[in-house]
């Protein structure tokens, strides 16, 4: 099968999985008297992004803690895309956000397939995309959220690094740094891989392409520029952005907040979504260990490791941590390779497993949006 046809199959399977999820959400939402498009387009952080798209930065909300919740905690790429789309098409902010998220999710699926197929073959590439679309928190990929955009940029940046296209890798990493706070992980993957490439050729730096140097220089610009801009607005150039994040209760505390949340859950019980979040993060940690044992390519290890470190070591709502891992699709490679092999030797078992994953993903996604009172 030609490469483009394989990619279309992968994207088609992903789109089918998300359309089934949207159909289940519609049925559950209507039964509960809720509007599915409102849930997808205007829930939790979506409201902030759409507010920035419509009115720009500088609109804060009072916080129970001292200070305010500043909208400068939200990075600018996604609201800029929403604003641009509403300027050229007769769409409201919520509809534009959904169009961008769904389009970005399909671009991400194509990029994930490209990475998986390049490393481990067609079957693994397609299976990797399918597993990504059936994660417990995959409903976020259908929402007006930033994870689809970040994943699309991360996937194609990784592919560019693997293919040696350093200018593309650096440019995509710079854009990823404008998408989300954890977008710096893409720049880290590009920079560390480039650094290792230079180190191997340290005896003859003339053999290092100028494209590698340029790509490495571009990679951190997006994230750094936004953090410094927020710092200037806050009157503290190096620390202003991090002060904004602290006002939201979001800091890197080396996992103390996460451990406290887990302790409280075991001591007093926790909600279902907390248990799923805990199992998801634990599974991500195990899968990262498998990636290390399998000696996966360095950029995949850096990206996944940085995203996992942010999820484990950051404070904030524990229930949101699986969402932070959605761009860490390389973590699914050990499962994708196993499932691809199972599909060859025991197709019926593979079919039952995929159907089970799809059922849980669709029902859990509907539960998160309609019934769970936990921030995504």
């Amino acid at each position: 099968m030609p490469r483009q046809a394989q990619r279309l199959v992968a994207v088609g399977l992903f789109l089918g999985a998300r359309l089934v999820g949207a159909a289940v959400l519609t049925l559950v939402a209507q039964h509960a008297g809720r509007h599915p498009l409102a849930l997808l387009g205007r829930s939790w952080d979506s409201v902030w992004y759409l507010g920035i798209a419509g009115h720009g930065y500088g609109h804060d909300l009072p916080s129970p803690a001292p200070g305010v919740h500043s909208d400068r905690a939200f990075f600018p790429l996604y609201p800029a895309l929403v604003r641009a789309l509403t300027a050229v098409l007769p769409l409201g902010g919520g509809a534009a956000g959904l169009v961008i998220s769904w389009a970005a999710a399909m671009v991400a699926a194509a990029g994930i397939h490209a990475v998986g197929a390049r490393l481990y073959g067609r079957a693994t590439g397609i299976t990797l995309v399918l597993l990504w679309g059936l994660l417990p928190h995959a409903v976020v990929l259908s929402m007006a959220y930033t994870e689809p955009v970040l994943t699309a940029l991360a996937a194609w940046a990784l592919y560019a690094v693997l293919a040696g296209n350093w200018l593309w890798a650096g440019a995509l990493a710079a854009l990823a740094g404008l998408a989300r706070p954890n977008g710096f992980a893409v720049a880290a993957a590009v920079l560390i891989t480039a650094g290792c490439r230079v180190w191997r050729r340290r005896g003859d730096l003339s053999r290092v392409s100028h494209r590698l140097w340029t790509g490495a220089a571009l990679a951190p610009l997006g994230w750094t520029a936004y953090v410094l801009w927020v710092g200037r607005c806050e009157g503290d150039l190096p620390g202003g952005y991090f002060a904004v994040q602290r006002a939201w209760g979001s800091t890197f505390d080396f996992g103390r907040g996460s451990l406290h949340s887990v302790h409280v859950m075991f001591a007093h019980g926790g909600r279902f979504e907390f248990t799923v979040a805990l199992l998801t993060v634990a599974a991500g940690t195990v899968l990262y260990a498998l990636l290390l044992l399998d000696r996966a390519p360095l950029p995949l290890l850096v990206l996944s490791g940085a995203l996992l470190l942010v999820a484990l070591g950051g404070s904030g709502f524990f229930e949101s941590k699986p969402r932070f891992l959605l761009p860490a699709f390389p973590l699914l490679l050990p499962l994708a390779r196993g499932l691809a092999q199972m599909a060859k030797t025991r197709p019926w078992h593979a079919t039952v497993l995929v159907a089970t994953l799809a059922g849980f993903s669709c029902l859990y996604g509907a539960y998160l949006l309609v019934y769970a009172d936990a921030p995504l």
Side-chain angles (χ1 to χ4, degrees):
M1 185 185 297
R3 185 179 302 175
Q4 292 298 329
Q6 297 171 19
R7 199 162 294 165
L8 286 175
V9 169
V11 174
L13 287 173
F14 169 79
L15 183 58
R18 297 316 320 140
L19 286 174
V20 172
V24 172
L25 171 64
T26 299
L27 292 174
V28 174
Q30 289 179 343
H31 181 267
R34 310 284 296 276
H35 196 290
L37 286 180
L39 290 171
L40 290 172
R42 294 183 177 274
S43 292
W44 301 106
D45 289 357
S46 299
V47 177
W48 285 89
Y49 285 115
L50 296 180
I52 296 167
H55 310 291
Y57 283 100
H59 297 81
D60 303 335
L61 289 180
S63 169
V68 295
H69 283 160
S70 170
D71 58 6
R72 294 192 182 106
F74 298 90
F75 277 52
L77 179 60
Y78 184 76
L81 292 173
V82 172
R83 190 181 188 94
L85 190 59
T86 55
V88 298
L89 292 178
L91 294 173
L98 290 177
V99 169
I100 290 168
S101 292
W102 278 74
M106 288 188 285
V107 173
I112 291 170
H113 172 267
V115 171
R118 180 183 180 89
L119 293 175
Y120 301 109
R122 175 185 64 87
T124 297
I126 292 175
T127 307
L128 181 63
V129 172
L130 183 59
L131 288 175
W132 184 66
L134 295 178
L135 287 169
H137 283 69
V139 67
V140 174
L141 303 174
S142 302
M143 297 174 64
Y145 261 52
T146 53
E147 273 70 23
V149 174
L150 176 56
T151 308
L153 294 168
W156 285 107
L158 288 185
Y159 183 79
V161 171
L162 294 172
N165 296 325
W166 291 101
L167 289 179
W168 273 109
L172 292 169
L175 288 174
L178 292 170
R180 284 195 51 75
N182 56 354
F184 78 89
V186 185
V190 175
L191 282 171
I192 292 176
T193 307
C196 288
R197 191 72 56 89
V198 171
W199 176 257
R200 293 193 195 102
R201 298 179 180 177
R202 62 190 181 279
D204 185 8
L205 292 181
S206 63
R207 295 174 55 200
V208 178
S209 166
H210 68 89
R211 290 182 171 83
L212 185 149
W213 293 109
T214 306
L218 286 173
L221 291 184
W223 191 88
T224 304
Y226 182 71
V227 168
L228 292 178
W229 176 79
V230 174
R232 185 179 69 82
C233 293
E234 296 292 321
D236 179 3
L237 191 64
Y241 169 76
F242 303 101
V244 167
Q245 288 286 7
R246 283 195 297 272
W248 278 86
S250 179
T251 60
F252 188 83
D253 61 2
F254 298 93
R256 289 192 297 271
S258 298
L259 289 175
H260 175 72
S261 297
V262 173
H263 173 75
V264 170
M265 187 198 77
F266 281 114
H268 306 289
R271 296 174 298 190
F272 180 55
E273 56 268 24
F274 188 100
T275 303
V276 173
L278 177 59
L279 292 174
T280 302
V281 173
T285 305
V286 173
L287 290 172
Y288 188 70
L290 293 177
L291 272 185
L292 288 171
L293 292 173
D294 197 37
R295 297 184 179 180
L298 180 61
L300 277 66
L301 292 175
V302 174
L303 174 75
S304 301
L307 292 170
L308 186 61
L309 183 64
V310 169
L312 289 172
S315 60
F317 294 106
F318 194 92
E319 294 89 339
S320 298
K321 294 183 182 295
R323 173 168 65 86
F324 302 156
L325 292 177
L326 284 173
F329 66 89
L331 293 175
L332 298 171
L333 274 169
L335 296 178
R337 296 176 69 186
L339 183 57
Q341 184 62 34
M342 182 188 295
K344 293 179 182 178
T345 58
R346 291 174 288 173
W348 175 245
H349 291 77
T351 302
V352 171
L353 178 58
V354 170
T356 302
L357 292 174
F360 182 78
S361 176
C362 294
L363 291 172
Y364 184 65
Y367 164 78
L368 282 177
L369 281 184
V370 179
Y371 294 111
D373 187 24
L376 277 173

